[in-house]
Amino acid sequence: MGRPGGRLGAFVHMDGPLRTGHVGAICLRRARFGLYSPAMSTTTQTPEMEIGAAGVDVERIVAEIRAEADRKIAAGLYDDARVARAERSNLVQLLGEDDFLTFYLKGLRDAVTVDISDFEIHERRKWGAPLLVRFKKTLWSALKFYTYRLWSQQNQVNELFATALDGLEQRYREKITQLEKRVAELERRLPPVN
Amino acid sequence: MQSEIRQPLPAADSGRPALAFVCPRLAEAGAVGGAETLIRRLAERAARAGGRVELLTTCARDHFTWKNEWPAGRREFDGLVVRFFPVDEDRDAAAFARAQRRIGRGEPLTAAEEAAWLAHSVPSRALCDYLRGALASFDRVLAGPYLFGLTSAVAALAPEKTLLIPCLHDEPFAYQPAIRRLFASVRGCLFNSAPERELAARLYDFPPRRGVVVGMGLEPFTADPAPLRKRLGFAAPYLLYSGRRETLKGTPLLCAYVQTFRARTGRDVRLVFTGSGAIEAPEALRPAITDLGFVSEADKHAAMAGALAFAHPSCLESFGIVLLESFLAGTPGLVHAGSPALRALCRDAGAGLWFRHYGDFETALNWLLDHEAERRALGALGAAYVRREYSWTAVERRFFERGLRL
């Protein structure tokens, strides 16, 4: 199959899956793109550059990867302090993403309360395990007793912050939606430009 | 003035046009960034094609101090005439740094402050004086990158002859009114990628017809990763990063992601670096990092050929020379989605994946590890793409037939 030349716009031709992967159902397919050149309509009819002729549909692979990652995020598989730490230097880059705020507000809501409930205390070492468990339990009780006031106040502050941010986000989102509707309506009323 | 701006190049039968290339530093092996390399390579190819070509640059080597290190004067490098001019000794580096910091913080500058920012950003009166005197003998002046005061000063001498090689990316400096004026004043732009041209259109309403995507050509090579593998001393798959290691290039992010990936999945994926700069990495990752430092081109290509993928975590790129080299070595890319230029190269070549955040990174890396045949297929497509679109023949065609005819 020859490459399309001198045609504006792009098309993709799928020749069928070569292999199905296991990340979601990632399909590796042969794709064929037409030319891609925004400037061509104003300059010349021959392509400036051709892209991805006879290629793998990486956009599809990336879409599958994203869907898989989004599913894992929704399932809480990335609610992990290590991920949060790694993500710190990525925050600036994510600011450009449309769903950045929604994504992080959800994370904030999930993590807003410091967990001060009791938990099961184990001991992996066999020797003296009951004694060690008893010691750890005593330690935890003391720690909880002396820090309860601190953590409960911290939780109160966290919840107030999260609620305020949530409220602000919702309020401005509604406001922006209203303004966008209004702008669209006003633009509709404008006389057509010759 | 307008008629002068539209004045075409000399007719083809009168021979190659006379070209002056201007960039703030001369690219030397392994010592400077992509923009300087790109301008030097284009100048070399133009010189080889015939016609009068000169590369005008400063005597500086270090892009932090801008200290004059090269002796001023004329020299020849592989048939290319290079003229070195001193950076002005009275440059106020502190005033420049202050303005630069303020722009970085998103604070607006007054017109006077902005003028001072440009005036102290690699100024060279000697270079401008020479070019002013020789302007009549040049058909086109090709200057870049956009960020330097030298580029603006040169463009102001003869905007109707100036073709800007902007190497533009979305960063606070690009939003300065002076940069908008620069783009509006010049005859045209030679972009490195379609997303870069789209960014210029978005930021400055730059008409697409005044810009051409040219890029830089790459010489084909073959690389055998086996000897380097032996030297590395491990058999585990590795991600490669080549270039400057700094926060703006995203290398701390890459280290953090790889460390998290290793801890969460238990899979032994290592990191190999070539290039310069300190590697900012978690202590726990240090044993899994191999820093090769500056290496020969052959070793760099071997490292590329042996990598699981070439990782490019930077969001501030207008092009990706090392990414294209990796494609040529048959290795796919794994790039940050925040860089439209890198993403477009991966998409257009069908040879790389891109990630928004750790979740995407982990899933993509697992995919690459688990799909060896597909990974190789991506690499092969990348190599074919570079040979087709970034051979010097293709780049020269775009440069001479389109770029110089703007």
Side-chain angles (χ1 to χ4, degrees):
Chain A
M1 218 153 103
R3 281 192 225 133
R7 281 184 57 186
L8 292 172
F11 73 92
V12 180
H13 173 77
M14 297 290 189
D15 289 330
L18 294 176
R19 185 180 170 213
T20 304
H22 85 267
V23 174
I26 293 169
C27 295
L28 192 67
R29 292 168 182 228
R30 297 193 64 75
R32 205 173 277 271
F33 293 85
L35 54 94
Y36 169 76
S37 174
M40 280 199 1
S41 57
T42 52
T43 52
T44 170
Q45 288 303 303
T46 53
E48 192 171 88
M49 284 177 93
E50 286 187 40
I51 64 161
V56 173
D57 190 354
V58 283
E59 286 199 293
R60 189 185 166 89
I61 297 174
V62 170
E64 295 277 358
I65 284 171
R66 284 184 170 198
E68 175 72 6
D70 290 345
R71 269 195 297 275
K72 286 184 191 165
I73 288 168
L77 292 175
Y78 294 119
D79 295 347
D80 181 334
R82 294 169 298 187
V83 175
R85 255 198 313 276
E87 210 62 290
R88 267 190 312 213
S89 48
N90 196 33
L91 288 179
V92 176
Q93 322 302 352
L94 285 170
L95 284 171
E97 293 276 321
D98 290 339
D99 52 0
F100 165 79
L101 203 56
T102 317
F103 176 77
Y104 274 88
L105 277 177
K106 187 193 166 297
L108 184 65
R109 275 195 295 270
D110 290 345
V112 72
T113 314
V114 180
D115 185 2
I116 47 174
S117 333
D118 283 333
F119 57 97
E120 208 166 326
I121 293 175
H122 299 284
E123 177 50 53
R124 264 178 292 178
R125 282 166 290 195
K126 280 187 183 150
W127 188 86
L131 203 66
L132 283 167
V133 167
R134 202 182 189 90
F135 173 68
K136 283 184 189 174
K137 279 186 176 169
T138 312
L139 208 62
W140 167 241
S141 300
L143 194 69
K144 193 176 163 185
F145 178 78
Y146 287 111
T147 58
Y148 181 82
R149 196 177 146 76
L150 179 74
W151 291 121
S152 57
Q153 281 177 4
Q154 184 64 56
N155 279 342
Q156 202 177 354
V157 171
N158 288 0
E159 277 159 17
L160 285 171
F161 266 123
T163 311
L165 270 177
D166 233 358
L168 275 176
E169 199 258 344
Q170 205 173 331
R171 192 170 152 187
Y172 285 112
R173 191 180 287 259
E174 281 164 14
K175 210 167 183 173
I176 287 167
T177 312
Q178 282 171 5
L179 286 170
E180 279 174 345
K181 272 187 198 162
R182 206 171 148 204
V183 168
E185 176 59 25
L186 289 170
E187 279 177 346
R188 200 180 55 78
R189 285 192 213 165
L190 283 173
V193 183
N194 290 325
Chain B
M1 197 68 187
Q2 192 60 28
S3 61
E4 205 177 51
I5 288 177
R6 292 295 110 210
Q7 193 184 339
L9 272 178
D13 58 5
S14 68
R16 291 288 190 193
L19 306 173
F21 286 81
V22 183
C23 81
R25 284 184 305 160
L26 179 74
E28 297 170 85
V32 282
E36 291 89 343
T37 306
L38 187 143
I39 290 172
R40 177 173 175 172
R41 295 284 170 265
L42 270 183
E44 282 172 354
R45 302 303 289 205
R48 235 177 271 177
R52 179 177 168 217
V53 176
E54 289 188 5
L55 174 62
L56 314 181
T57 188
T58 73
C59 301
R61 270 182 158 139
D62 186 305
H63 71 296
F64 289 110
T65 64
W66 294 103
K67 197 177 141 205
N68 290 314
E69 292 180 48
W70 286 98
R74 181 187 185 281
R75 248 174 230 88
E76 271 197 39
F77 293 84
D78 304 324
L80 172 68
V81 173
V82 180
R83 290 185 190 275
F84 292 93
F85 300 91
V87 175
D88 294 347
E89 294 288 353
D90 55 0
R91 168 180 183 256
D92 188 344
F96 166 76
R98 268 198 307 276
Q100 185 98 336
R101 273 199 300 274
R102 288 188 55 199
I103 297 171
R105 286 198 298 264
E107 294 172 21
L109 300 186
T110 63
E113 285 168 336
E114 191 188 52
W117 169 63
L118 279 180
H120 299 300
S121 162
V122 202
S124 175
R125 279 190 290 272
L127 190 154
C128 290
D129 288 346
Y130 170 79
L131 187 59
R132 195 178 291 112
L135 256 180
S137 62
F138 288 114
D139 297 303
R140 292 286 178 267
V141 178
L142 297 103
Y146 83 95
L147 184 59
F148 294 96
L150 181 65
T151 306
S152 291
V154 162
L157 291 177
E160 74 284 358
K161 283 188 176 182
T162 302
L163 293 174
L164 186 64
I165 306 176
C167 302
L168 177 71
H169 41 252
D170 197 349
E171 58 184 349
F173 313 109
Y175 290 81
Q176 287 304 300
I179 303 301
R180 172 180 262 275
R181 289 196 297 274
L182 170 68
F183 274 80
S185 71
V186 294
R187 182 182 188 93
C189 283
L190 306 187
F191 294 107
N192 291 322
S193 62
E196 186 193 2
R197 178 168 56 187
E198 284 154 22
L199 180 64
R202 178 164 68 79
L203 296 183
Y204 317 120
D205 301 314
F206 189 81
R209 67 185 157 74
R210 282 178 51 213
V212 168
V213 177
V214 173
M216 190 185 105
L218 293 161
E219 301 286 357
F221 59 82
T222 49
D224 177 12
L228 185 84
R229 261 287 181 193
K230 241 182 212 169
R231 267 167 49 202
L232 287 175
F234 62 82
Y238 66 88
L239 293 177
L240 177 75
Y241 172 85
S242 294
R244 292 201 306 274
R245 304 77 172 271
E246 50 187 62
T247 307
L248 287 176
K249 291 284 178 188
T251 44
L253 178 74
L254 177 64
C255 290
Y257 276 9
V258 171
Q259 166 59 15
T260 309
F261 179 86
R262 287 167 57 88
R264 278 173 56 88
T265 64
R267 304 184 86 165
D268 186 13
V269 173
R270 314 247 178 136
L271 256 178
V272 174
F273 285 90
T274 73
S276 64
I279 299 170
E280 204 181 302
E283 266 316 301
L285 185 67
R286 294 274 169 201
I289 292 178
T290 304
D291 182 6
L292 296 173
F294 278 127
V295 290
S296 66
E297 286 293 289
D299 277 352
K300 184 176 80 178
H301 294 157
M304 286 171 169
L308 174 73
F310 183 85
H312 210 324
S314 169
C315 292
L316 302 174
E317 302 296 320
S318 65
F319 196 41
I321 298 171
V322 278
L323 178 67
L324 290 176
E325 281 183 300
S326 289
F327 287 172
L328 208 45
T331 297
L334 181 58
V335 307
H336 200 298
S339 168
L342 298 179
R343 205 175 59 213
L345 285 175
C346 287
R347 184 199 60 208
D348 294 353
L353 309 175
W354 50 96
F355 59 87
R356 298 162 296 174
H357 45 53
Y358 177 78
D360 284 355
F361 180 85
E362 185 185 285
T363 315
L365 195 47
N366 273 326
W367 188 87
L368 287 165
L369 286 164
D370 296 336
H371 295 78
E372 180 57 18
E374 289 89 338
R375 189 190 72 80
R376 282 180 187 278
L378 296 186
L381 282 166
Y385 173 77
V386 177
R387 281 196 292 267
R388 189 177 66 244
E389 301 300 344
Y390 290 98
S391 66
W392 272 113
T393 314
V395 171
E396 280 180 344
R397 196 180 58 236
R398 294 197 290 267
F399 178 65
F400 287 115
E401 292 177 15
R402 292 167 182 271
L404 291 185
R405 299 204 171 274
L406 281 169

